[in-house]
Amino acid sequence: MAAPDHKHKKLESRLGYAFTEVALLEEALTHVSAGNSGISYQRLEFLGDRVLGLVVSNMLFEAFPAAPEGELSKRLADLVSKESCAAIAREWQLTLHLRLGEGESRSGAGKRDPLLGDACEAVIGAVYRDGGFAAAEKLIRTHWQPRMTATALVPKDAKTLLQELVQAEGLPVPMYRDIGRS
């Protein structure tokens, strides 16, 4: 088993996790545009997304024992959103470690929420593959707990916020028409 790679020691310190298999971390930090023989974070992102959802669901279930399913779902959606994952990625300073292709790098993609959110989930997937569920759960609890307890308010979706805004202004409730789904 490989010793931790020196160039990622600071990142591992911010994560609170030292990798046994550094190649997993390298994969988690590699965007498809880097052109590394088909290696990219996409598969680890898929896995990390599911691990994150399970752990955060359990955290919410424990923290809000009287909350109905709808409230738990809203809280979960907010905590595992690309924006929340991107914020965590910024705390971890993932931008400094991402391996991007030249075009992605020039365009500033490594600083955008979608890419950072994906990379965050990939790192979670890498921790899960390297250290198992307990290691991934510890990582998630450590970094998501403060966000979960930061506000007692249930996050509102965009439609609810719009309806509250127009009602506060004395305007009629908006009419909605489904023009397509994708």
Side-chain angles (χ1 to χ4, degrees):
M1 299 202 179
D5 187 333
H6 288 284
K7 69 180 180 179
H8 294 305
K9 280 192 180 267
K10 287 183 180 179
L11 174 57
E12 289 176 325
S13 177
R14 287 188 294 273
L15 294 173
Y17 180 80
F19 279 84
T20 302
E21 188 58 47
V22 178
L24 283 166
L25 179 56
E26 288 289 336
E27 183 178 339
L29 298 171
T30 303
H31 188 263
V32 70
S33 68
N36 289 346
S37 306
I39 293 174
S40 79
Y41 63 57
Q42 291 176 323
R43 287 174 47 84
L44 288 171
E45 173 204 349
F46 168 81
L47 183 60
D49 178 60
R50 274 68 187 169
V51 174
L52 176 63
L54 176 61
V55 173
V56 172
S57 294
N58 193 43
M59 289 169 60
L60 290 168
F61 195 83
E62 294 167 355
F64 301 98
E69 183 270 340
E71 178 184 328
L72 294 174
S73 292
K74 286 179 183 175
R75 289 181 185 275
L76 175 66
D78 181 58
L79 288 166
V80 302
S81 70
K82 285 294 181 218
E83 294 79 15
S84 290
C85 290
I88 297 285
R90 286 185 182 91
E91 289 173 14
W92 293 343
Q93 297 178 14
L94 284 189
T95 302
L96 301 175
H97 302 273
L98 290 174
R99 293 163 53 186
L100 304 171
E102 191 176 317
E104 294 291 324
S105 199
R106 269 188 283 138
S107 73
K111 295 179 181 175
R112 294 191 192 120
D113 282 1
L115 195 145
L116 285 171
D118 291 349
C120 176
E121 291 172 345
V123 168
I124 292 168
V127 169
Y128 171 76
R129 295 289 297 165
D130 190 65
F133 185 78
E137 181 178 30
K138 181 181 178 202
L139 173 78
I140 294 164
R141 283 185 180 274
T142 299
H143 296 280
W144 268 261
Q145 186 73 38
R147 288 187 138 52
M148 186 180 82
T149 55
T151 179
L153 300 175
V154 178
K156 294 180 182 178
D157 59 87
K159 183 178 173 184
T160 301
L161 290 171
L162 175 63
Q163 287 183 190
E164 289 176 356
L165 177 67
V166 297
Q167 287 175 346
E169 295 293 323
L171 300 169
V173 177
M175 300 279 297
Y176 302 97
R177 183 170 49 110
D178 191 354
I179 58 171
R181 295 177 189 255
S182 63

